[in-house]
Each structure stands twice: as structure tokens, then as C-alpha cells.
Amino acid sequence: MGDFPPAPVASLAVGNTRFDPEHVDSYEIGLKSSLFDRMVTFNVDLFLTKIRNRQILQTLPGAINLVSNAGATIAKGIDLSIKARPVAALRLTGDDARSAGAASLLRRLISQAVKPATI
């Protein structure tokens, strides 16, 4: 009593499935600053990521996992952080992050997958 049954195999490998390597170019630039004798710190970070031949994992009926390429993806954004210590007993902080992305082929694959089948 108290034993758990062994877990079933989570997925089967799909043999001879070919996909291209994924290539990622990532860029980032930022600024860290301290002002007013370190009573205020301000940080900002900009980033851009470009992915070619993005690899995605698709789960097919029967617990079969298939890796395929999904075209290109671009993600970009900004991170902001400000911290203030106006008096020794008080700290104020604020953080914000914004990002946007676009995927070319992946969007088409998803729209095809959710369309109802025609008979």
C-alpha cells in the first residue's frame, strides 16, 4: 500500500523526422545609473531577438511528439527599473517591462490547426 504505479511512457519518438537548425541573433543594450549619492537608481534595457528556423514541438494524437521548423520570429522590448530612497526608513521601487513579438510561419500553422475539418 502507498506505492504509485510506474508512469507510462510520455511520448514516442518520430524516426527520420528532419528539421533545420535554429539560429538566434540576440542584441541587448542598457544603462545602469546612480544619482543623488545613490539615493536614486535608474536602469533601462533594450533588447532584440531574431530567430530563424524556429523549432517547435508538436504533440500529435497518440502521444507522439514531432519537432518541426516554424519560420522566423522577432521579439523586442524594453525593461525599466527605478528605485528611490528619499529617507533611510523608506524605499520606493518601480519596474516595468514591455515586449512585442511576431512569428511568420507559426501564426499560419496555428490558424490551420484550429480550423474545423471539412468532410
Side-chain angles (χ1 to χ4, degrees):
M1 270 180 54
D3 292 336
F4 290 101
V9 175
S11 67
L12 302 173
V14 177
N16 298 326
T17 302
R18 297 195 181 273
F19 52 91
D20 294 326
E22 183 177 86
H23 298 280
V24 178
D25 295 319
S26 216
Y27 307 94
E28 183 174 1
I29 187 167
L31 171 72
K32 291 188 174 205
S33 62
S34 294
L35 307 167
F36 310 116
D37 196 27
R38 296 170 62 186
M39 290 179 64
V40 175
T41 61
F42 176 74
N43 302 322
V44 62
D45 182 62
L46 301 168
F47 64 89
L48 172 67
T49 303
K50 297 178 181 180
I51 304 171
R52 294 181 312 279
N53 294 326
R54 181 176 176 186
Q55 294 176 355
I56 60 168
L57 179 65
Q58 297 173 299
T59 302
L60 305 175
I64 297 173
N65 289 331
L66 175 67
V67 176
S68 60
N69 292 110
T73 300
I74 295 176
K76 55 187 171 183
I78 184 170
D79 292 326
L80 300 169
S81 174
I82 188 165
K83 296 177 183 171
R85 189 179 36 113
V87 294
L90 178 64
R91 290 183 188 216
L92 304 171
T93 63
D95 296 288
D96 192 24
R98 305 292 169 144
S99 63
S104 60
L105 181 60
L106 182 59
R107 198 173 299 133
R108 286 195 306 255
L109 287 173
I110 291 171
S111 67
Q112 290 173 357
V114 297
K115 286 183 182 175
T118 57
I119 300 176

